[in-house]
Amino acid sequence: MKGYSMTIFSSLSFILLIAIIPITGGLLAATPWLMRRNECFAVTVPAGRQNDERLLALKRRYSKSMLIVTALFTVLVAVAFAVELGSSNGINETSLGVIVMVGVLAPVAISFALMLRGRRAVQEIKKAEGWFAERQQAVALAAEEDVPGAVSLAWNLLYIPIALASVALAGVLYPTMPDAIPMQVNFSGEVTTTMQKGPGVFAFPLLFTAFLAAVMTFSHWSITRSKRPTDPGAPATSALAYGMFARAQSILMVATGLVLAATTDICFILSAAGVVSLEWMAALIVVLAMLIVVVCIAVSVVYGQAGSRLHARMQAAPADAPLAFDDDEHWILGIIYFNRDDASLFLPERFGIGWTLNMARPAAWALLVGFVALTVAFVLAVFSLT
Amino acid sequence: MIITIDHSSSEPIYLQIRSEVVTAIARGELKPGDRLPSVRALASDLGINLHTVNKAYAILRDEGHLTMNGRNGARVADFAANVSAMTHEAGEARLAESLYLLAIEHRARGGSALDFVDIARRQAQRAYSDGAPTSRPASVS
């Protein structure tokens, strides 16, 4: 039985780990097509000009390059895995971890470089065509109660019953747990780290749920506090599209966080009690994480950044509408927003799906440091249990 | 209701916001009790400073168009009910003074009183032609 489950667990893990690369790579390749109608490779352009053949060619070139890069790294990682698995020294998990990390991060780094290349090309076209804004308009909605937005933060209170239920379940199964509780299992199916039976059994699910709750609630909160971008050329439809996007993303955030917390807590407790083996629980969590990634990407592709694809379906832009505003000066290297005069702390990204920070606000730096510190603290706390 | 500002305009942004709100109230797009965005939300959405929005809201409050109660945020005021006789008179005095200055300028340029009244009537028609009734007592006939 042990040999059988080891093969399935490790095969599943390898396939899923490798599959992350083409899945995320696909989203990277699709990015230029998902951005708002006034932006092309992080440059403000007139909405009606997005169908200019030169801009379309730039987008196609980027997508093609990213698909090739993605395929390349998928193959590289698969080969590296095969080599590592076939090596006579046995499986070195650290090496595998490094291989996956490089395989996922390298395409991201390359996509950034390719974006910069596209951006420079668009800037030249923009200068040659004389696409400049005669005005600098900004638009906001007031007294509009029907526009959708992020769902209520109160949904995050559901982490509390999850934590309580985990403690209750752990309490019920406590007597059946062995003295050494498996915490880590390697790809050969052997338990490599154990935890002494004790308060740690309750501490781990609580720690994990608390960490996930903190991160997800904060991310949800940042969506509610974000700048709501509105296109002066189409204020009502763009506000509606963005509102629907924010709503969908916030629902995703709440749902995936709660499901992940509940699943991980239950899996850990059941495996601690010996009801199911740790490697099957680990495999389940990996499958769940992959599903979450796929769902998030699907939602992102359907809605487009800031609801741009919804917005595109609502109307067509007049080809000759002049630029009503130009944001370029506030975006460093196209992706870092820096604007002292802007009260916003969070705002939609310029090349990518999601939100970014206004780095001119000291709070933004504090948040970056805080996030790193929180993650480090969480990891240290979990390791201290074992 | 949509608030539009223009960074490139010579008119200060807080006055642009004030004009937008007052125009919306006049046209009935904003009714008494309607909630305006919080200072932070409006500043964030327009990409401007908190101070700028604070100034705009402060002026609107002083003029009697806005009320702010901490928790409930900024709401459009019921002008007739909200405004004291003193504020009302101050508003009327400001209107009279502005018209006087415009008339004096017109005179300095060699225009006649009749011309001035004519232009004033046309602009009043323009302001009042949107159809929506105002809730305050008519002060300009």
Side-chain angles (χ1 to χ4, degrees):
Chain A
M1 191 60 200
K2 191 80 175 174
Y4 174 78
S5 71
M6 167 193 89
T7 314
I8 294 204
F9 165 64
S10 32
S11 315
L12 192 63
S13 306
F14 294 149
I15 292 169
L16 292 176
L17 284 174
I18 297 170
I20 276 267
I21 298 166
I23 289 173
T24 53
L27 180 63
L28 289 173
T31 300
W33 308 96
L34 303 174
M35 296 303 102
R36 297 170 60 200
R37 65 182 202 159
N38 271 115
E39 285 160 1
C40 184
F41 287 104
V43 178
T44 307
V45 300
R49 296 283 178 222
Q50 288 281 11
N51 290 329
D52 185 306
E53 190 48 47
R54 289 166 296 178
L55 295 184
L56 290 178
L58 284 173
K59 289 184 193 174
R60 279 185 223 118
R61 182 175 74 167
Y62 172 95
S63 297
K64 249 182 258 181
S65 304
M66 274 319 301
L67 287 175
I68 292 170
V69 164
T70 300
L72 187 68
F73 276 93
T74 307
V75 167
L76 277 176
V77 168
V79 164
F81 262 44
V83 164
E84 184 60 40
L85 291 176
S87 86
S88 50
N89 295 336
I91 300 170
N92 183 340
E93 255 122 30
T94 315
S95 312
L96 288 179
V98 170
I99 292 169
V100 172
M101 229 171 46
V102 170
V104 172
L105 293 180
V108 174
I110 293 170
S111 79
F112 176 61
L114 289 176
M115 181 278 287
L116 287 179
R117 186 175 73 161
R119 179 169 169 263
R120 208 170 330 130
V122 175
Q123 283 170 333
E124 278 164 27
I125 296 172
K126 182 175 177 178
K127 206 167 11 173
E129 293 290 314
W131 293 334
F132 66 93
E134 287 170 0
R135 297 168 293 169
Q136 270 286 50
Q137 278 191 338
V139 172
L141 251 57
E144 299 274 345
E145 302 292 328
D146 296 329
V147 178
V151 295
S152 164
L153 283 168
W155 283 100
N156 293 290
L157 290 171
L158 287 176
Y159 283 103
I160 296 176
I162 288 176
L164 293 176
S166 306
V167 168
L169 183 64
V172 163
L173 292 177
Y174 193 79
T176 69
M177 292 181 190
D179 282 326
I181 292 167
M183 290 291 279
Q184 232 180 340
V185 66
N186 67 14
F187 285 119
S188 308
E190 298 155 352
V191 173
T192 51
T193 316
T194 60
M195 172 176 74
Q196 189 81 328
K197 176 175 175 176
V201 165
F202 301 92
F204 177 73
L206 281 177
L207 258 178
F208 185 79
T209 308
F211 177 70
L212 207 52
V215 171
M216 295 310 241
T217 308
F218 176 78
S219 302
H220 183 175
W221 178 77
S222 70
I223 299 179
T224 64
R225 300 285 282 199
S226 161
K227 176 205 291 271
R228 293 168 298 179
T230 311
D231 184 347
T237 48
S238 64
L240 178 62
Y242 173 77
M244 291 168 70
F245 170 78
R247 190 178 135 83
Q249 293 283 355
S250 66
I251 290 174
L252 252 187
M253 204 151 280
V254 169
T256 58
L258 291 174
V259 166
L260 201 54
T263 310
T264 307
D265 288 350
I266 293 173
C267 283
F268 167 72
I269 294 166
L270 290 181
S271 79
V275 173
V276 205
S277 75
L278 184 59
E279 63 250 42
W280 278 109
M281 295 288 92
L284 177 63
I285 292 172
V286 171
V287 169
L288 179 64
M290 292 292 303
L291 274 173
I292 288 173
V293 169
V294 170
V295 168
C296 287
I297 290 179
V299 169
S300 297
V301 169
V302 165
Y303 280 77
Q305 168 64 340
S308 66
R309 298 199 72 210
L310 295 182
H311 193 216
R313 285 200 283 277
M314 287 180 196
Q315 36 117 347
D320 289 321
L323 265 183
F325 68 96
D326 193 328
D327 253 359
D328 288 352
E329 62 178 325
H330 302 304
W331 291 90
I332 302 169
L333 290 178
I335 59 168
I336 299 172
Y337 187 70
F338 193 97
N339 187 353
R340 283 206 185 88
D341 293 328
D342 192 341
S344 314
L345 179 55
F346 307 104
L347 66 156
E349 284 192 314
R350 208 167 207 218
F351 192 79
I353 307 279
W355 286 264
T356 187
L357 297 163
N358 181 357
M359 299 315 293
R361 308 220 77 82
W365 297 92
L367 284 175
L368 287 179
V369 171
F371 251 128
V372 172
L374 181 69
T375 308
V376 169
F378 169 69
V379 171
L380 288 178
V382 169
F383 273 115
S384 76
L385 291 176
T386 58
Chain B
M1 176 244 152
I2 293 157
I3 295 179
T4 309
I5 60 160
D6 189 349
H7 289 271
S8 63
S9 163
S10 52
E11 189 185 4
I13 294 174
Y14 72 95
L15 288 181
Q16 292 183 45
I17 296 174
R18 181 206 160 266
S19 308
E20 292 275 301
V21 173
V22 168
T23 307
I25 292 174
R27 290 212 185 107
E29 288 167 13
L30 283 176
K31 299 191 177 42
D34 280 352
R35 196 195 322 226
L36 287 177
S38 68
V39 172
R40 188 212 57 78
L42 186 60
S44 170
D45 291 348
L46 291 175
I48 55 181
N49 247 314
L50 289 173
H51 304 305
T52 311
V53 178
N54 270 322
K55 278 199 278 194
Y57 277 22
I59 293 176
L60 288 165
R61 282 167 80 185
D62 278 348
E63 289 176 347
H65 295 299
L66 219 72
T67 56
M68 290 186 81
N69 321 323
R71 208 105 285 250
N72 290 332
R75 284 180 182 271
V76 176
D78 186 354
F79 191 86
N82 184 50
V83 142
S84 69
M86 203 167 67
T87 312
H88 210 271
E89 274 162 26
E92 302 280 303
R94 264 200 314 274
L95 175 64
E97 193 57 31
S98 303
L99 282 171
Y100 171 75
L101 285 171
L102 289 169
I104 274 286
E105 254 181 72
H106 185 78
R107 183 180 182 187
R109 285 197 300 269
S112 72
L114 237 64
D115 260 351
F116 179 77
V117 172
D118 202 36
I119 295 170
R121 184 178 305 117
R122 266 186 269 135
Q123 291 308 310
Q125 271 169 355
R126 178 182 159 207
Y128 281 83
S129 66
D130 298 53
T134 55
S135 57
R136 43 187 125 155
S139 43
V140 178
S141 50

